[in-house]
Amino acid sequence: FACRGAACYRLPGPRGPLCVFRNQLPRRNDTYPAEPPPEEPPPGLAAAAPPLRLRSGAALCRVCGCLGPRVCGSCRRAAYCGPQHQALDWRRGHRRSCGKHAAGDDSADAIPEHNEFLFPEYEILIEPEEPEFPADSSVDPDDEQGAVDTSKDPKEQGELRATGSAAFQSLDEETLEAMAKHETEEDKIFQMFKERVAAEPEQIIRYCRGGEGPIWVSSENIPDEKDIPNCSCGAKRIFEFQIMPQLLNHLQVDSLGESIDWGTLVVYTCTDNCGEGNEYLEEFIWKQDFSAGS
């Protein structure tokens, strides 16, 4: 779960306005059928509207899809999880349609679009990652970061070089060595990240529970083992999956030049898979941003 507001992503802390929950439903449950739907619907069968009721008969909120014990006092058809979402839906269109549908008309139950409140929904395609990277995916960091700006005339370039040299001469040898080492490590990590995602530039999630760790976008803000808290049951947490920055392209969150942002989001989960039934258990998420040099 994440906030849409860009300002929240500047809050201190390892995760910002983000939280992640694990739910391990048994194969037979009241929410989903035990067997997956067919890959291709039967010919001539129109796509069914998303159900607004569970098979148990419990109604779902028209805004967020959570359980909706509260109903509209007028039409008694629209369900909501609470007064805030009922008021939001009323302002966004239910006021005009409330009570105007005949009995048995399922169009009254159609889920409205609340794009200013919810993220858009997509299907996620799952495929194994190819073991080999494209031969031309490597990019020489010197070509990108060490290139000379040819738009300036030679005299101006000379002045810039002289200014830079004077600034570096004012630094002691130990400081210069530390800066060079940091830049080299930063370039290496970011370069590895770019090469890895070049094979699948549209990838939004990388899943590898308990195996290879995440690929980081920066040498800064990488958690140590002590930074990952144990589960509430006492077991350690391990890396399960990471969310890639490419997902931001699909969330439609740009607003007046500001957007929510991250380099990668890394999720750690309980090694013992504790918990059963319908309860949600909070797990741990770590937010890493791109470095200033990236």
Side-chain angles (χ1 to χ4, degrees):
F1 294 87
C3 178
R4 290 181 64 99
C8 288
Y9 288 75
R10 293 188 284 270
L11 296 175
R15 72 180 191 182
L18 304 159
C19 54
V20 58
F21 295 89
R22 172 170 52 89
N23 177 241
Q24 299 175 189
L25 288 173
R27 180 166 181 174
R28 300 190 180 280
N29 59 80
D30 294 334
T31 304
Y32 303 105
E35 299 299 331
E39 290 289 336
E40 297 293 336
L45 181 64
L52 277 189
R53 288 184 178 272
L54 302 177
R55 288 190 297 162
S56 62
L60 303 181
C61 175
R62 280 166 50 92
V63 175
C64 67
C66 294
L67 289 177
R70 186 186 186 98
V71 296
C72 173
S74 178
C75 67
R76 311 295 298 178
R77 292 174 65 101
Y80 303 98
C81 62
Q84 292 85 0
H85 285 186
Q86 183 176 5
L88 176 66
D89 190 45
W90 181 261
R91 295 193 303 269
R92 295 295 178 177
H94 187 61
R95 175 188 346 208
R96 296 186 295 272
S97 61
C98 181
K100 295 182 180 179
H101 297 273
D105 182 6
D106 292 336
S107 64
D109 294 332
I111 298 178
E113 292 187 0
H114 293 287
N115 293 331
E116 80 290 346
F117 177 76
L118 301 176
F119 293 120
E121 294 184 6
Y122 299 93
E123 178 185 7
I124 299 177
L125 301 179
I126 303 174
E127 297 178 349
E129 185 178 52
E130 295 295 333
E132 299 294 335
F133 304 124
D136 60 348
S137 64
S138 296
V139 180
D140 186 351
D142 293 335
D143 291 342
E144 288 189 343
Q145 301 178 17
V148 176
D149 186 358
T150 57
S151 63
K152 297 181 174 64
D153 60 55
K155 181 179 179 181
E156 187 176 357
Q157 289 183 24
E159 292 175 351
L160 287 174
R161 290 194 184 95
T163 302
S165 299
F168 276 108
Q169 288 172 2
S170 65
L171 300 174
D172 59 79
E173 183 176 346
E174 184 177 346
T175 302
L176 288 172
E177 185 67 24
M179 291 174 60
K181 182 177 180 181
H182 175 76
E183 289 178 358
T184 301
E185 181 67 17
E186 187 68 30
D187 292 345
K188 180 180 178 181
I189 291 180
F190 187 58
Q191 180 67 19
M192 290 175 58
F193 178 83
K194 291 198 299 180
E195 290 180 353
R196 201 66 183 268
V197 301
E200 296 291 343
E202 296 299 320
Q203 187 181 59
I204 60 170
I205 292 177
R206 293 180 54 84
Y207 186 94
C208 188
R209 186 173 194 267
E212 179 186 358
I215 54 172
W216 300 101
V217 300
S218 170
S219 62
E220 302 173 358
N221 195 31
I222 296 179
D224 294 323
E225 186 175 352
K226 62 180 177 60
D227 296 321
I228 310 301
N230 290 343
C231 179
S232 56
C233 72
K236 287 187 175 182
R237 287 191 173 102
I238 58 173
F239 167 68
E240 181 158 350
F241 66 93
Q242 68 182 115
I243 300 174
M244 309 298 283
Q246 289 86 330
L247 180 62
L248 293 165
N249 297 330
H250 304 286
L251 294 185
Q252 302 174 13
V253 289
D254 287 329
S255 177
L256 298 178
E258 288 195 352
S259 172
I260 65 176
D261 193 24
W262 62 72
T264 188
L265 305 176
V266 183
V267 175
Y268 298 85
T269 58
C270 175
T271 54
D272 287 350
N273 296 318
C274 66
E276 295 180 356
N278 297 329
E279 63 178 338
Y280 280 84
L281 301 171
E282 185 170 7
E283 293 289 14
F284 185 74
I285 186 169
W286 185 277
K287 174 178 176 285
Q288 187 193 46
D289 294 317
F290 288 101
S291 71
S294 299

